[in-house]
Amino acid sequence: MTAEIDTPLSTTTVYRVSGMSCGHCEGSVSSEITEIAGVSSVKAVASTGEVTVVSAAPLDDEAVRAAVDEAGFELVGRA
């Protein structure tokens, strides 16, 4: 699976986040990443550690890292 899929209207990127263990964790990570400009949807899955982000354009990885840090977790990188 590729880490980033571009379409004319959006970009989907899958990230790996360590430390998520429950629905509350998923919600915290999703909430922080949703605050990044251009993000239209976020789906975090604690059991896999994957966070799928759909945005209008490719995101700056450092902005995603900062959002994940703010939620109390660690961005490992792109899946």
Side-chain angles (χ1 to χ4, degrees):
M1 183 163 105
T2 61
E4 191 171 290
I5 301 167
D6 294 325
T7 66
L9 301 176
S10 67
T11 298
T12 300
T13 310
V14 180
Y15 296 95
R16 285 224 174 266
V17 174
S18 67
M20 294 189 301
S21 61
C22 64
H24 178 69
C25 298
E26 295 169 346
S28 295
V29 169
S30 295
S31 177
E32 290 296 334
I33 294 175
T34 298
E35 297 296 318
I36 299 171
V39 171
S40 57
S41 74
V42 180
K43 176 157 178 63
V45 181
S47 62
T48 64
E50 290 188 347
V51 180
T52 303
V53 181
V54 179
S55 56
L59 298 175
D60 175 39
D61 287 346
E62 288 308 310
V64 176
R65 183 176 310 282
V68 171
D69 285 349
E70 184 67 27
F73 301 95
E74 181 183 352
L75 179 66
V76 176
R78 293 184 184 211

